[in-house]
């Protein structure tokens, strides 16, 4: 009886273990990649403030940089299209979009075009029917397009090339990509933070003393220019790094000790001073977080794969990625290494339950240049509900008022003068309209006159 009971218990335990393994495997099998927010910076570029024989466009992306982004696109195509089947093999603007910063000396725009050519390379474009090929000609009567038609065959573009839009924003303050440029109070915030932080001031003074007898002297000799501040030295560093990435011999070799000092300087200025205050990182990341949170929530609400965006790419400045890293993860934002050209930050959203609209049924994984990074609480994976709550908490809702408060306080007298002058002009316009309309004969109004009268009433 004892042996029979022991066998029964062992069998029961085995069944329980098998059920647990089966349920775990079912859960793992059910988990599927749902959405990816992909943030990248431009490929290798020319020095940002310097033109020379080889650097034709200050800050523009080079051929080396475009190749970097193309290869990045090919790798992400392999992962997200061929393996994960997150988005379709052919470009569809309803499933994938790419946005780029226009004001970054075209580096982000050109990098975006190179990236999408890797994500959707030639050969993946659309073909035309016979009727469509006959219609697909410009209305030029004297031109003979037969030779080109034969080259194209049924392809819409040569070699089934893809023409994909990279959305840009250049119509005013850009708070998604360029909050640091669009916010006039941000520089004041950074300066206030630095000046009020005694340990930072002390560290800067010590570094300045070290650099005065170190890298500053080396740069003066090799660049034949005056070097007095960290800003001067970092401009030289930008030239050196750009030349290295683009394999250009500029005839300047910096010592190992000097290079270490330049990298130390870069880390201090960017990580500790400019991004030392969390509010600054939040303002720079504000538009980005807002768009990301909105896009994830929208994709969850739609649910249907055929009707939702599966992946969004943002090409932006290095400082935006630095700010995001500072907010997302402690273990990488406190590093001392600059973000390399063509770096890639992926925020992957995986679905744990099919067609669920509950953010708790999704989880997030963060990758930086292919490496999994811990979130701010030290975990590898984050529940999407927590991530969305955190993202909204990090947003600066009153961003415009925060950014412009300094300007409003300083310019109050001028604002009053502007209002008075504007009021006088408005009254003058109204009187002019009144007399012009009064002189018109009493007759049935035309459409144009009705619009004019409506405008007058509005004034």
């Amino acid at each position: 009886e004892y042996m029979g009971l022991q066998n029964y218990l062992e069998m029961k335990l085995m069944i329980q273990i098998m059920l647990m393994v089966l349920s775990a495997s079912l859960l793992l099998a059910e988990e599927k990649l749902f959405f990816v927010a992909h943030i990248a910076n431009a490929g290798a570029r020319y020095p940002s403030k310097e033109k020379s024989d080889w650097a034709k466009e200050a800050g523009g992306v080079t051929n080396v940089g475009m190749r970097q982004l193309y290869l990045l696109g090919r790798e992400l195509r392999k992962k997200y299209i061929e393996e994960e089947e997150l988005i379709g093999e052919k470009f569809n603007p309803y499933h994938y979009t790419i946005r780029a910063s226009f004001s970054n000396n075209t580096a982000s725009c050109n990098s975006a075009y190179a990236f999408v050519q890797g994500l959707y390379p030639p050969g993946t474009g659309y073909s035309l029917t016979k009727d469509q090929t006959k219609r697909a000609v410009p209305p030029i009567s004297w031109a003979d397009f037969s030779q080109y038609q034969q080259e194209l065959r049924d392809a819409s573009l040569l070699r089934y090339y893809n023409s994909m839009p990279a959305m840009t924003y250049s119509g005013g303050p850009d708070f998604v990509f360029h909050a640091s440029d669009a916010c006039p109070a941000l520089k004041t915030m950074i300066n206030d933070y630095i000046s009020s932080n005694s340990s930072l001031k002390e560290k800067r003074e010590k570094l300045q003393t070290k650099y005065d007898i170190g890298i500053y002297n080396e740069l003066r000799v090799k660049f034949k220019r005056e070097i007095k501040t960290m800003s001067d030295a970092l401009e030289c560093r930008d030239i050196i790094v750009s030349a290295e990435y683009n394999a250009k011999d500029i005839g300047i070799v910096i010592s190992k000790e000097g290079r270490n000092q330049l990298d130390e300087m870069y880390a201090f200025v960017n990580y500790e001073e400019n991004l030392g205050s969390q509010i600054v990182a939040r303002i720079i990341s504000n538009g980005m977080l807002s768009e990301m949170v909105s896009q994830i929530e929208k994709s969850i609400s739609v649910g249907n794969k055929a009707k939702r965006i599966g992946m969004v790419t943002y090409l932006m400045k290095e400082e935006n990625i630095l700010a995001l890293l500072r907010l997302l993860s402690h273990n990488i934002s406190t590093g001392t290494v600059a973000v390399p050209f063509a770096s890639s930050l992926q925020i992957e959203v995986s679905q744990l339950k099919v067609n669920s609209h509950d953010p708790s049924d999704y989880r997030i994984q963060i990758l930086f240049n292919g490496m999994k990074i811990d979130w701010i609480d030290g975990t590898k994976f984050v529940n999407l509900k927590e991530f969305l709550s955190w993202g909204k908490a990090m947003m600066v809702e009153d961003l415009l008022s925060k950014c412009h408060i300094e300007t409003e306080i300083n310019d109050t007298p001028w604002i009053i003068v502007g209002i008075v002058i504007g009021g006088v002009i408005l009254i003058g316009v109204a009187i002019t309209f009144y007399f012009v309309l009064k002189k018109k004969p009493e007759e049935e109004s035309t459409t144009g006159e009705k619009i004019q009268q409506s405008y007058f009433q509005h004034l």
Side-chain angles (χ1 to χ4, degrees):
E1 286 177 2
Y2 172 76
M3 291 298 292
L5 180 62
Q6 188 178 23
N7 290 338
Y8 167 75
L9 290 173
E10 286 177 357
M11 183 64 71
K12 186 177 179 182
L13 182 62
M14 285 292 292
I15 292 170
Q16 286 176 335
I17 291 170
M18 288 172 67
L19 286 171
M20 286 171 65
V21 170
L22 181 63
S23 61
S25 63
L26 286 171
L27 279 171
L28 287 171
E30 199 175 358
E31 181 178 338
K32 190 165 180 64
L33 193 63
F34 180 81
F35 176 85
V36 173
H38 171 230
I39 300 106
N41 68 329
R45 53 173 176 74
Y46 297 118
S48 56
K49 293 184 179 179
E50 187 109 354
K51 285 187 178 181
S52 62
D53 292 338
W54 71 276
K56 306 296 183 187
E57 180 192 358
V61 69
T62 64
N63 293 330
V64 171
M66 285 191 277
R67 185 183 177 111
Q68 285 181 307
L69 266 295
Y70 174 80
L71 293 175
L72 177 62
R74 289 304 296 260
E75 182 59 29
L76 294 194
R77 175 180 176 84
K78 179 183 174 185
K79 180 176 183 181
Y80 294 127
I81 296 177
E82 296 170 7
E83 296 175 1
E84 298 285 353
E85 298 181 351
L86 178 66
I87 50 180
E89 289 190 355
K90 291 183 180 292
F91 172 69
N92 185 332
Y94 293 104
H95 297 160
Y96 173 74
T97 59
I98 181 166
R99 284 198 57 181
S101 165
F102 183 74
S103 54
N104 189 21
N105 298 89
T106 71
S108 293
C109 278
N110 289 339
S111 294
Y113 295 138
F115 174 80
V116 291
Q117 289 311 312
L119 194 67
Y120 289 101
T124 62
Y126 287 90
S127 57
L128 305 178
T129 64
K130 285 185 178 180
D131 290 337
Q132 286 174 331
T133 55
K134 290 175 184 177
R135 289 182 175 274
V137 290
I140 304 173
S141 58
W142 49 263
D144 180 11
F145 296 104
S146 57
Q147 178 186 344
Y148 314 124
Q149 292 278 51
Q150 287 173 7
E151 288 177 7
L152 288 167
R153 296 183 180 179
D154 67 338
S156 58
L157 293 171
L158 193 63
R159 291 191 288 275
Y160 297 92
Y161 175 89
N162 279 284
S163 177
M164 288 158 287
M167 293 186 289
T168 61
Y169 182 83
S170 58
D174 184 354
F175 285 99
V176 176
F177 296 106
H178 286 273
S180 56
D181 298 339
C183 177
L186 192 59
K187 206 164 191 177
T188 305
M189 286 183 195
I190 294 171
N191 291 335
D192 288 347
Y193 170 76
I194 294 170
S195 60
S196 64
N197 192 316
S198 57
S199 61
L200 266 183
K201 287 172 70 178
E202 187 180 335
K203 184 171 182 179
R204 176 175 262 273
E205 287 169 4
K206 285 181 179 178
L207 289 175
Q208 189 75 18
T209 304
K210 180 171 79 171
Y211 300 151
D212 272 334
I213 57 173
I215 186 60
Y216 287 1
N217 278 332
E218 187 175 354
L219 294 176
R220 287 183 193 117
V221 172
K222 293 179 177 176
F223 277 87
K224 295 180 174 56
R225 62 171 71 175
E226 191 58 45
I227 307 292
K228 291 183 178 180
T229 64
M230 290 188 187
S231 297
D232 297 335
L234 288 175
E235 282 186 24
C236 294
R237 180 188 181 278
D238 186 42
I239 295 168
I240 294 164
V241 171
S242 295
E244 286 176 353
Y245 266 93
N246 292 286
K248 290 290 181 181
D249 183 7
I250 57 174
I252 295 173
V253 179
I254 301 297
S255 66
K256 186 177 179 181
E257 178 60 29
R259 186 56 188 268
N260 289 339
Q261 287 187 6
L262 282 173
D263 290 342
E264 178 189 47
M265 188 188 308
Y266 177 93
F268 173 72
V269 170
N270 285 285
Y271 287 99
E272 296 185 52
E273 288 192 334
N274 292 348
L275 287 172
S277 168
Q278 192 188 64
I279 186 65
V280 171
R282 285 171 62 190
I283 288 175
I284 292 175
S285 304
N286 189 80
M288 178 74 248
L289 283 171
S290 177
E291 281 217 356
M292 195 189 306
V293 167
S294 173
Q295 193 62 66
I296 291 172
E297 288 182 328
K298 185 179 177 182
S299 293
I300 290 174
S301 65
V302 171
N304 188 342
K305 185 177 180 179
K307 296 179 180 179
R308 65 173 167 81
I309 290 284
M311 180 173 168
V312 180
T313 296
Y314 299 92
L315 260 294
M316 53 178 56
K317 291 170 72 176
E318 181 182 304
E319 66 178 9
N320 294 74
I321 296 182
L322 286 173
L324 269 175
L325 286 173
R326 188 199 185 290
L327 294 181
L328 286 168
S329 174
H330 292 317
N331 72 329
I332 199 157
S333 62
T334 53
T336 57
V337 180
V339 172
F341 294 128
S343 285
S344 181
L345 175 66
Q346 290 123 266
I347 299 174
E348 298 182 343
V349 181
S350 294
Q351 191 180 50
L352 302 177
K353 288 184 181 178
V354 179
N355 297 328
S356 173
H357 297 292
D358 183 359
S360 301
D361 294 329
Y362 297 79
R363 72 172 183 174
I364 278 187
Q365 177 176 257
I366 305 165
L367 303 170
F368 180 62
N369 289 338
M371 177 181 67
K372 294 177 184 177
I373 62 172
D374 295 343
W375 197 44
I376 46 172
D377 66 352
T379 57
K380 290 285 182 193
F381 298 102
V382 187
N383 181 288
L384 180 58
K385 189 173 183 179
E386 296 171 21
F387 181 84
L388 293 176
S389 299
W390 168 84
K392 289 174 181 176
M394 286 295 106
M395 289 178 211
V396 185
E397 297 297 337
D398 56 339
L399 176 63
L400 284 170
S401 61
K402 269 187 180 296
C403 285
H404 294 287
I405 189 167
E406 198 74 32
T407 309
E408 286 171 8
I409 291 169
N410 292 339
D411 295 346
T412 301
W414 291 106
I415 290 169
I416 294 169
V417 171
I419 290 169
V420 171
I421 293 171
V424 171
I425 292 170
L426 208 58
I427 291 167
V429 171
I431 291 169
T432 304
F433 265 105
Y434 174 75
F435 283 110
V436 168
L437 290 173
K438 194 175 180 182
K439 286 179 183 178
K440 287 202 173 283
E442 294 287 329
E443 57 184 24
E444 190 176 346
S445 297
T446 63
T447 305
E449 287 168 345
K450 285 178 181 176
I451 292 169
Q452 202 174 43
Q453 287 170 5
S454 172
Y455 181 61
F456 171 68
Q457 287 169 359
H458 175 69
L459 282 174

